[in-house]
Amino acid sequence: MIYGKPAVILLNEIASEKPDSANAAIARWLLHQSDPDQLSIRAVADGAHVGIASVSRFVKDIGFEDFSSLRDMLKEGLDKPEPVKKVDQDARIVLEEEIAAGIRLASTVNMQAVKQCAKAIARYQKIWVFGLMKAEAAAICLADDLCLAGKDAATLFSHTQQMACIKAAGKDELIILFSYTGSYFDINETKNLHIHAPVIMISGGKNMYPNLTSLFVPYPSRLDKASHPYSLIYMANLIMQAYLEDKR
């Protein structure tokens, strides 16, 4: 993920819930609070115009034991978007160059791991493809293309639903994870995490979970915000092309 944990959790909740839901309202309100130390359950309930019980449910829904744990997480801060251009530069040209540079770098990937991923896709009947936030764009691209090619492939946007699916998946299912930096699982999640399905990680970063992944597909990446998630989408398309070629 290119965002910090607070942004990922709150933005994911906003994107995966109905716009008028209590969880979405709470996440939107928390996203704009600059002083987590002053937060209380009552303050959140009043600010988001929901009941205290809704805040308690929200805390549990996003994976925290209690409100103080959520407050501690929010203290990590939020990374705000920044412009890619400098003064007197054309933003369109700068952004195009940044994106193109990221894709050109990704295109130098060692194809051996890409082909291994394609062969694994061919072996399994059920494919789950996940990513967090912008990385989910690449997951959607690959899952949709695989469906059109006749594979039983699906994705879920909510991280909570993704984790539930990963934990429940059997040995005859394949999990594919897209991550820009290599980060996906929370440290606390990995302590007692038992995954029965094989997991493939596609990332521009390091393999942070060697004990959980059966295949790691690295690609050269600038790891900057401008070329994210375009290089991941490129990798999704590259894997799909390798799969189609392998089917011939």
Side-chain angles (χ1 to χ4, degrees):
M1 64 187 79
I2 198 69
Y3 294 118
K5 183 178 179 180
V8 168
I9 289 177
L10 296 180
L11 290 172
N12 185 271
E13 196 66 16
I14 293 169
S16 58
E17 291 283 342
K18 293 181 178 179
D20 59 350
S21 70
N23 277 10
I26 294 168
R28 279 195 300 268
W29 189 83
L30 287 174
L31 199 60
H32 301 290
Q33 303 311 303
S34 57
D35 191 2
D37 286 322
Q38 301 302 313
L39 291 179
S40 65
I41 290 183
R42 168 58 68 183
V44 176
D46 291 345
H49 305 293
V50 299
I52 290 177
S54 294
V55 179
S56 297
R57 283 194 297 271
F58 172 83
V59 171
K60 299 295 183 182
D61 286 346
I62 62 175
F64 290 93
E65 293 183 1
D66 50 40
F67 184 80
S68 62
S69 299
L70 170 62
R71 186 169 50 209
D72 289 342
M73 182 274 295
L74 292 173
K75 292 178 183 179
E76 297 177 19
L78 298 168
D79 296 324
K80 300 296 184 179
E82 296 179 356
V84 295
K85 73 183 186 74
K86 297 179 181 179
V87 179
D88 298 327
Q89 287 183 312
D90 189 322
R92 295 169 300 175
I93 295 175
V94 174
L95 189 57
E96 179 183 342
E97 290 176 347
E98 292 292 318
I99 293 171
I103 293 176
R104 282 195 298 269
L105 185 59
S107 69
T108 63
V109 63
N110 185 319
M111 286 297 295
Q112 182 178 357
V114 172
K115 292 178 179 178
Q116 284 181 291
C117 180
K119 288 183 180 299
I121 290 172
R123 287 198 304 271
Y124 288 88
Q125 294 297 317
K126 180 65 180 180
I127 316 290
W128 294 101
V129 195
F130 300 139
L132 296 180
M133 299 313 301
K134 290 183 178 181
E136 177 63 14
I140 292 171
C141 288
L142 182 58
D144 286 354
D145 283 347
L146 287 173
C147 279
L148 288 173
K151 295 296 292 187
D152 184 3
T155 188
L156 298 164
F157 198 92
S158 165
H159 180 53
T160 301
Q161 292 177 341
Q162 290 181 13
M163 285 303 302
C165 178
I166 290 172
K167 292 174 182 178
K171 294 180 179 180
D172 57 341
E173 300 172 77
L174 177 66
I175 307 291
I176 299 177
L177 302 178
F178 284 93
S179 172
Y180 195 48
T181 61
S183 176
Y184 180 87
F185 300 102
D186 185 272
I187 283 294
N188 293 326
E189 289 176 331
T190 61
K191 288 180 179 178
N192 298 305
L193 183 59
H194 300 288
I195 303 177
H196 302 290
V199 176
I200 297 176
M201 170 80 79
I202 295 99
S203 176
K206 296 180 180 179
N207 187 1
M208 298 183 182
Y209 318 103
N211 295 331
L212 297 178
T213 52
S214 55
L215 175 64
F216 185 70
V217 183
Y219 67 90
S221 173
R222 304 174 76 199
L223 293 178
D224 63 340
K225 288 187 178 181
S227 58
H228 177 47
Y230 303 99
S231 57
L232 277 176
I233 293 173
Y234 170 82
M235 289 299 297
N237 290 331
L238 191 62
I239 289 167
M240 188 63 199
Q241 290 303 310
Y243 170 70
L244 293 175
E245 289 176 6
D246 191 59
K247 283 182 64 179
R248 290 179 180 176

